[in-house]
Amino acid sequence: MENKLCYVCSPYRGNTERNIEYAKELTRLALDSGYVPVTPHLYLTQVLDEDEPEQREKGMAAGTELLKHCRYILIGSRYGLSEGMLAEIDTATENGLAELAATVRGLEVVYGKP
């Protein structure tokens, strides 16, 4: 079975209401395009306190572990790249994930090999 896991990388901190809606939009796009989205900041933030450094670190570590099992990454840069996103992008690059981007035809690989 082909690995269609797609890590959704988008900001959370700052304007959290807007950023959650954006993460949901990207997650839906991945689903509609036939991928299996992994969006840990939509659920880990429900059980961890982002304002507590130890809990944030725990959430980031869990997200990084999930990322390593994915084959694709979808980078949502509409609102810029956060520090956490840059770390995720570095991990994705180190692990050879293919980058997906939205086009008029849906999601397509724009970097790396699928």
Side-chain angles (χ1 to χ4, degrees):
M1 182 175 176
E2 182 182 0
N3 178 353
K4 300 286 278 183
L5 291 174
C6 173
Y7 192 91
V8 178
C9 175
S10 65
Y12 179 79
R13 285 179 150 181
N15 187 339
T16 54
E17 187 174 318
R18 176 201 69 193
N19 292 342
I20 289 170
E21 288 307 311
Y22 185 43
K24 288 178 180 180
E25 176 186 330
L26 293 171
T27 299
R28 171 61 76 172
L29 176 61
L31 275 171
D32 290 347
S33 298
Y35 294 91
V36 179
V38 176
T39 317
H41 53 297
L42 284 181
Y43 66 89
L44 290 178
T45 55
Q46 301 301 303
V47 297
L48 297 172
D49 184 347
E50 276 285 297
D51 295 324
E52 293 291 327
E54 193 173 293
Q55 289 188 35
R56 176 173 166 72
E57 188 176 316
K58 187 181 287 186
M60 292 295 294
T64 298
E65 187 61 31
L66 289 168
L67 172 60
K68 291 176 182 178
H69 294 278
C70 294
R71 186 170 182 184
Y72 302 92
I73 186 168
L74 174 58
I75 301 169
S77 59
R78 178 185 298 162
Y79 303 113
L81 299 175
S82 68
E83 181 182 324
M85 290 173 66
L86 291 172
E88 291 170 338
I89 292 166
D90 284 346
T91 299
T93 301
E94 291 167 6
N95 286 274
L97 273 69
E99 182 183 346
L100 297 171
T103 69
V104 293
R105 294 178 295 238
L107 287 180
E108 293 186 16
V109 174
V110 292
Y111 179 81
K113 296 180 183 178

